[in-house]
């Protein structure tokens, strides 16, 4: 059963299930039992954040200059930035501020931690320099090369 609250659709059954687990946990005065709701917390992150930060620093050297300068741009303490470079558990807020200080989004910053980060950065930079007409031209070219789609064919 789902209920629409303002613009959000809420799975009522799931909410009640979580509330029941929380209530019973509080009554027993202990943490949640291991289960599917917190099993993902045990798996290590796939993105190497320290590597991503180092790569961003290398690729945006003229803007960021150094870790200390990046801390100033991000408006966070230098020790927080240095801890992030050491691989400590940085918060989303810290990573978002670092990304904004580097002039990118958090998703772009984290993409630098992927194994194929160089390709992703090149693709992103190429597409950013394109105009709408360039994109439309590429779409038309690809459609001509691949032929009409099944849904377009009559």
């Amino acid at each position: 059963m789902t209920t629409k609250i303002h613009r959000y659709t809420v799975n009522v059954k799931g909410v009640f299930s979580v509330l029941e687990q929380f209530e019973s946990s509080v009554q027993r005065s202990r943490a949640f039992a291991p289960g599917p709701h917190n099993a993902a917390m045990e798996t290590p992150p796939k993105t190497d954040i320290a590597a991503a930060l180092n790569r961003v620093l290398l690729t945006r050297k003229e803007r960021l200059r150094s870790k200390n300068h990046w801390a100033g741009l991000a408006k966070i303490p230098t020790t927080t930035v240095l801890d992030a470079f050491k691989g400590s558990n940085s918060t989303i807020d810290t990573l978002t501020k670092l990304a904004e200080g580097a002039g990118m989004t958090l998703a772009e910053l984290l993409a630098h931690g992927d194994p194929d980060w160089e390709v992703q950065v090149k693709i992103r930079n190429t597409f950013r320099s394109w105009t709408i007409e360039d994109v439309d031209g590429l779409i038309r070219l690809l459609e001509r090369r691949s032929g009409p789609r099944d849904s377009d064919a009559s």
Side-chain angles (χ1 to χ4, degrees):
M1 178 171 120
T2 59
T3 303
K4 188 148 183 147
I5 300 174
H6 297 286
R7 60 182 175 188
Y8 302 104
T9 302
V10 179
N11 182 343
V12 177
K13 190 175 185 181
V15 170
F16 285 128
S17 172
V18 170
L19 288 174
E20 288 169 2
Q21 289 177 4
F22 179 73
E23 219 170 64
S24 63
S25 176
V26 169
Q27 289 171 356
R28 291 188 305 262
S29 296
R30 60 188 179 96
F32 284 114
H37 57 277
N38 63 357
M41 293 179 194
E42 301 299 321
T43 59
K46 293 179 181 169
T47 300
D48 185 359
I49 294 184
L53 294 174
N54 280 309
R55 290 173 183 153
V56 169
L57 186 61
L58 287 173
T59 57
R60 300 196 176 221
K61 193 70 175 172
E62 59 230 16
R63 176 185 170 107
L64 301 176
R65 296 186 206 148
S66 68
K67 296 173 186 176
N68 292 335
H69 188 255
W70 193 358
L73 292 173
K75 298 180 180 133
I76 56 177
T78 304
T79 54
T80 304
V81 174
L82 295 176
D83 288 344
F85 271 90
K86 290 178 188 171
S88 71
N89 244 352
S90 300
T91 64
I92 295 293
D93 187 48
T94 299
L95 295 174
T96 302
K97 288 179 181 178
L98 284 169
E100 289 170 356
M104 56 179 39
T105 65
L106 179 58
E108 290 172 327
L109 182 134
L110 294 176
H112 280 74
D114 291 342
D116 61 344
W117 69 276
E118 289 175 313
V119 173
Q120 291 181 18
V121 169
K122 286 179 184 176
I123 291 169
R124 190 175 296 114
N125 289 339
T126 300
F127 282 124
R128 278 193 174 156
S129 66
W130 285 19
T131 63
I132 296 295
E133 292 80 23
D134 294 335
V135 174
D136 287 340
L138 177 64
I139 291 170
R140 284 192 300 275
L141 175 69
L142 292 173
E143 285 174 344
R144 273 187 265 144
R145 290 180 103 196
S146 63
R149 286 185 243 152
D150 292 337
S151 60
D152 293 340
S154 352

